[in-house]
Amino acid sequence: MTAILYNSLTNKTEAFTPHNPNKITFYTCGPTVYDDAHIGNFRSFLAADLLRRWLESPLCTLATSDGEHHGPRIVTHVMNITDVGHMTDDTNADGGGLDKMELAKERILEAKKSGKLPSDSEVDPSDPLAIARFYERRFMEDARMLGLKVAIEAEADPTLMPRATDNIEGMKQVICDLLDNSFAYAAGQPGARAVYFDVLKFQAYGDLSGNTLDQLKGGAGGRVDDSQQQEKHHPSDFLLWKEDQSHTMKWDAPAHAACEGWDQGYPGWHIECTAMALGRLVDGGLSNARKDHATIDLHSGGEDNIFPHHECEIAQSCCFTGNDHFANHWFHPRFLMVEGQKMSKSKGTMYTVRELVAKGIDPAAIRLELIKTHYRANADFSMQGLKDASRTIERWRRNAQMLSSWQSAGEKSTTNIAQVIENFADALSNDLNVSTAIAAISSLDISGPATKGALNEAMRWAGAIGVNKPDTLLLPSEPNSAAQSIETMIDESCGDTERTLAALHLIDNILGVIFRPIEAAKDTGITLYQPGVSPSPEIEALLAARRDAKKGKDFAAADAIRDQLSAMGLAIMDKPGGKVEVAPNNKHR
């Protein structure tokens, strides 16, 4: 079946039909780097990543005016880094309150004072760009751990994740054009002047969010005082540029007659995405975007971006390009709940990726837990869900290891992989129904040779009926390419074993959870330290004392040491051969 996808602009599930099905343009509103991104942020980013990987896949078929277009295809995915202009009150178009980078400064100063600053945080709180680079680096580390493809690609091509502060001139170019064509105007008193977008000049304002201009009220407060609010043409007119010599980060005003003689200032939040999306995704950049009335194929962001951010983005982009739409398709994942409730710092449920990984949780399990619920439903993240996701991935990995061992031994198998692939592709084609796609993978039925002799031993070590995995049977750290997988699947000389293993690689090019780098346990001779726990002399001494107590049949002392380790946040498990596995407490709960 051809892929259908819900479009937030039309409020309908419809065929996804890019302008050029061979090369799709996709823009995602990325993080504001004033703090570590939490799992709610990553739910939205990973939903976009899943969609991008699906559109690239040979399994994805798109409808076109000429019929159907079969993958693979190129998806150019761009995600911005916001490091200026995003204010604390982003529920109104002006974004009142404090600049979020100011909040980051206060947070770092407080952390320094209390001694809670992370060990890798040599950062000057008085330098907003240093703060932004610090949190940006941490975001990129987290994103790559979770397999966010655009973050991985940005290592080689940083233009795929452009920074707002690197694109100020592009924003000014758009602002000047909007002023030239009377879609924007300047207002205010010297020292506090602003350029506003005139929403009355764009009749479609409100179509995305369902708001009407009569319903909307302006965003007084913070950087927009009552006098400025009165100078607007309409209360919903939103900020493009603000004159403010006192602001933490500031630049020369746009080179336009309406801004002549202005002090330095800074851009509004919404204008950055127009400049960066059109500047990076349109051949020839902003100038060609204006000349060619350019659009992009796909735009995503969390549902909280719909208004005002994306509504304002559509208005200014359409008026800049002269087109009646900005993106053909809008994709908005819903919010993430934690244990059935809204995320809360005070309740300790606003988890970051690095906090969970530090507890020994496999990043692949975090990824699967965040993508396994349909993007248009409120997902509920839980520790039990993480355990279930981990077990699901381990089962898939065991299947891959078993098939690899059979392939190496030249043994044959029979599977229902053709039906699995069909059901998997149909599920994702139906508005990215990932839960049904996951069920399809879990329905894989493998019948193999009798497990005797050397093959039985290989399977046991591979994890099919055991738990240990020697280096010779470890899975690759990334899936084979889609092209390589398809080549094997259609090769008539290959049997079910090879085809099924190739199909798992093809599936994992989309899900990104099976063939991944897996951190190995650290073996010190008496202790196996699982990921999330670093070897230490203190732990070694306690385990040695526990071993001696057990030898002396002083089980009360041995239990007391176990309790002491538990109080340190550690769980222990005795292993064959006398070694002890040490893991974060959550691993064995």
Side-chain angles (χ1 to χ4, degrees), residues 142-162:
D142 292 350
R144 288 165 184 155
M145 270 197 293
L146 294 183
L148 195 66
K149 198 169 180 181
V150 67
I152 296 168
E153 292 175 335
E155 288 189 274
D157 183 3
T159 67
L160 293 172
M161 294 193 70

Side-chain angles (χ1 to χ4, degrees), residues 88-110:
T88 53
D89 186 6
D90 54 15
T91 58
N92 65 60
D94 289 323
L98 294 174
D99 189 302
K100 292 195 173 185
M101 298 310 297
E102 286 286 342
L103 283 189
K105 173 183 175 180
E106 296 304 318
R107 186 185 306 109
I108 288 178
L109 284 171
E110 181 60 33

Side-chain angles (χ1 to χ4, degrees), residues 428-477:
L428 292 184
S429 294
N430 184 19
D431 195 24
L432 211 66
N433 191 337
V434 68
S435 60
T436 302
I438 289 170
I441 307 167
S442 296
S443 72
L444 179 63
D445 182 19
I446 305 173
S447 299
T451 56
K452 297 178 181 178
L455 182 58
N456 179 56
E457 182 69 7
M459 287 174 62
R460 184 177 73 79
W461 284 109
I465 58 176
V467 294
N468 296 315
K469 311 177 189 70
D471 291 342
T472 54
L473 286 172
L474 286 178
L475 296 176
S477 60

Side-chain angles (χ1 to χ4, degrees), residues 85-375:
H86 193 177
M87 312 299 276
T88 53
D89 186 6
D90 54 15
T91 58
N92 65 60
D94 289 323
L98 294 174
D99 189 302
K100 292 195 173 185
M101 298 310 297
E102 286 286 342
L103 283 189
K105 173 183 175 180
E106 296 304 318
R107 186 185 306 109
I108 288 178
L109 284 171
E110 181 60 33
K112 276 197 168 186
K113 188 185 300 182
S114 63
K116 296 180 180 178
L117 204 62
S119 57
D120 64 344
S121 55
E122 288 298 322
V123 55
D124 179 2
S126 66
D127 183 352
L129 284 179
I131 295 172
R133 297 297 85 80
F134 167 65
Y135 283 119
E136 178 186 331
R137 184 182 77 249
R138 289 166 67 89
F139 172 81
M140 298 298 277
E141 290 168 355
D142 292 350
R144 288 165 184 155
M145 270 197 293
L146 294 183
L148 195 66
K149 198 169 180 181
V150 67
I152 296 168
E153 292 175 335
E155 288 189 274
D157 183 3
T159 67
L160 293 172
M161 294 193 70
R163 298 168 179 154
T165 51
D166 291 338
N167 287 271
I168 300 295
E169 291 307 314
M171 298 180 215
K172 291 181 185 179
Q173 180 180 343
V174 176
I175 292 169
C176 287
D177 186 273
L178 294 174
L179 285 166
D180 282 341
N181 290 283
S182 300
F183 293 115
Y185 61 93
Q189 300 302 311
R193 291 169 285 200
V195 178
Y196 294 107
F197 182 88
D198 191 339
V199 295
L200 293 173
K201 299 292 181 66
F202 185 66
Q203 291 185 349
Y205 191 79
D207 284 359
L208 179 69
S209 62
N211 291 313
T212 66
L213 290 178
D214 289 338
Q215 295 170 331
L216 295 172
K217 295 181 180 180
R223 55 186 173 166
V224 183
D225 60 28
D226 290 341
S227 63
Q228 288 176 306
Q229 192 70 6
Q230 292 169 6
E231 289 168 346
K232 288 183 177 184
H233 294 178
H234 187 279
S236 295
D237 291 350
F238 58 87
L239 190 75
L240 300 175
W241 188 270
K242 179 73 167 70
E243 181 188 31
D244 185 355
Q245 189 66 30
S246 67
H247 194 259
T248 305
M249 291 186 281
K250 48 186 177 291
W251 294 264
D252 290 340
H256 191 277
C259 305
E260 189 174 346
W262 284 24
D263 286 335
Q264 291 182 313
Y266 58 96
W269 173 33
H270 317 301
I271 193 65
E272 69 174 75
C273 288
T274 292
M276 288 189 277
L278 295 174
R280 178 58 181 80
L281 289 172
V282 175
D283 291 339
L286 284 172
S287 297
N288 275 10
R290 176 78 176 102
K291 182 178 67 176
D292 297 340
H293 309 298
T295 63
I296 61 175
D297 295 313
L298 182 60
H299 197 310
S300 77
E303 64 174 331
D304 56 326
N305 286 151
I306 292 175
F307 188 84
H309 186 49
H310 287 166
E311 195 75 80
C312 297
E313 201 180 330
I314 290 171
Q316 65 200 13
S317 299
C318 289
C319 291
F320 173 71
T321 62
N323 210 315
D324 62 0
H325 64 285
F326 172 37
N328 294 338
H329 220 104
W330 288 84
F331 178 81
H332 290 104
R334 296 201 65 187
F335 292 125
L336 180 74
M337 311 290 282
V338 176
E339 306 286 358
Q341 298 181 1
K342 290 183 69 174
M343 284 188 295
S344 166
K345 277 192 176 183
S346 62
K347 294 180 180 178
T349 58
M350 191 170 282
Y351 301 117
T352 66
V353 172
R354 57 189 55 233
E355 287 170 345
L356 294 172
V357 171
K359 294 174 185 265
I361 297 170
D362 184 349
I366 302 171
R367 178 182 171 94
L368 185 60
E369 174 70 357
L370 289 173
I371 66 173
K372 71 182 185 183
T373 303
H374 192 267
Y375 73 93

